Amino acid sequence: MRWIKKIAGIRGMARLEISLGLGLVLAVLLASQSSFSQVCRQVRQDTLRLHIRAASDSAADQADKLAVRDAVVQAAAVLFDGQTSREEAVAIASQNLDLLQQVANDTLQSRGSGSSATVTLTDMLFDTTWYQDFTMPAGRYQALRIDIGQATGKNWWCVLFPPLCLPAAETLETTEVYSDEEKQVLQSGYELRFAAVEWWQRLWDSEAPYDGC
């Protein structure tokens, strides 16, 4: 029976080695995810989003949304010129909410729309958002939000600061707002780690205002 005990001992050692190996892999993955999440948190702290919610999904209301987008983006390009931090951009936005709302409403009126726009600064949750050249991680962001009418239609959003969606916009390579670590995360494309960040943000802050449309 000694050989049976010997085999059992070998199997036990093998299971122990496998468990230790899996534990080490899990520890490395958790450490990597923790570091990734910290950089995502910094991205959110450095970013001001622009979010426009259309009155409905009708063709006319969606066209109104895009017209408002174009007008507001043009106005924002002047207002935010020379800003070097999100705090400065938020202060400028706060001081010019009435102006931006007037721009949006003048645009709607010129198009014969029966809707009006409301412009606010808000703190809200976003899903992971994939743009052409970068990925914005999920979580709570400060956003300049424009609600048109009942605001039940498909939305449009981008990054107001740094000015990645404004005329003559910077690129991730040229902006000095994001650190090299933040740029690496933003340019990493789809990764399971983004899904993990999104799941955690929604679980942690499930009662917060949220718009992932």
Side-chain angles (χ1 to χ4, degrees):
M1 292 298 192
R2 291 181 180 177
W3 63 272
I4 296 179
K5 292 181 180 179
K6 186 175 183 179
I7 291 175
I10 292 173
R11 288 179 175 175
M13 288 296 295
R15 285 195 294 269
L16 177 60
E17 290 176 356
I18 291 172
S19 297
L20 290 174
L22 290 175
L24 179 60
V25 170
L26 180 59
V28 170
L29 290 175
L30 288 175
S32 175
Q33 182 62 36
S34 176
S35 176
F36 184 82
S37 297
Q38 289 176 4
V39 178
C40 289
R41 185 180 303 112
Q42 188 60 49
V43 168
R44 293 191 291 269
Q45 292 173 353
D46 289 337
T47 303
L48 176 63
R49 305 283 289 263
L50 173 61
H51 192 52
I52 304 176
R53 309 203 297 186
S56 75
D57 284 334
S58 72
D61 285 343
Q62 287 296 310
D64 285 344
K65 175 192 71 178
L66 296 180
V68 167
R69 173 201 65 185
D70 293 342
V72 168
V73 163
Q74 289 288 340
V78 177
L79 291 174
F80 294 106
D81 183 42
Q83 304 307 310
T84 59
S85 71
R86 189 198 69 170
E87 289 71 21
E88 292 179 4
V90 169
I92 291 294
S94 179
Q95 294 165 12
N96 290 278
L97 291 177
D98 290 343
L99 172 62
L100 293 170
Q101 184 165 295
Q102 188 63 53
V103 169
N105 282 321
D106 285 349
T107 302
L108 292 170
Q109 185 176 5
S110 70
R111 293 175 56 81
S113 172
S115 298
S116 61
T118 302
V119 180
T120 58
L121 272 172
T122 186
D123 188 27
M124 58 188 292
L125 283 174
F126 286 88
D127 269 337
T128 305
T129 310
W130 288 273
Y131 298 97
Q132 183 174 356
D133 300 318
F134 62 96
T135 303
M136 194 61 59
R140 292 177 66 89
Y141 289 83
Q142 280 201 291
L144 181 73
R145 191 170 74 194
I146 303 175
D147 288 340
I148 304 174
Q150 296 299 312
T152 60
K154 293 178 181 177
N155 308 321
W156 184 88
W157 55 87
C158 195
V159 178
L160 194 59
F161 183 86
L164 298 177
C165 64
L166 300 184
E170 295 178 336
T171 65
L172 287 178
E173 288 79 7
T174 60
T175 181
E176 297 180 358
V177 174
Y178 295 130
S179 67
D180 290 342
E181 290 79 8
E182 289 174 276
K183 291 176 184 178
Q184 184 176 0
V185 165
L186 292 168
Q187 293 175 314
S188 59
Y190 177 78
E191 292 190 16
L192 184 61
R193 292 184 294 180
F194 279 118
V197 169
E198 183 171 312
W199 174 84
W200 176 253
Q201 289 294 317
R202 296 185 68 175
L203 177 67
W204 177 259
D205 215 351
S206 59
E207 299 302 320
Y210 175 77
D211 198 328
C213 303

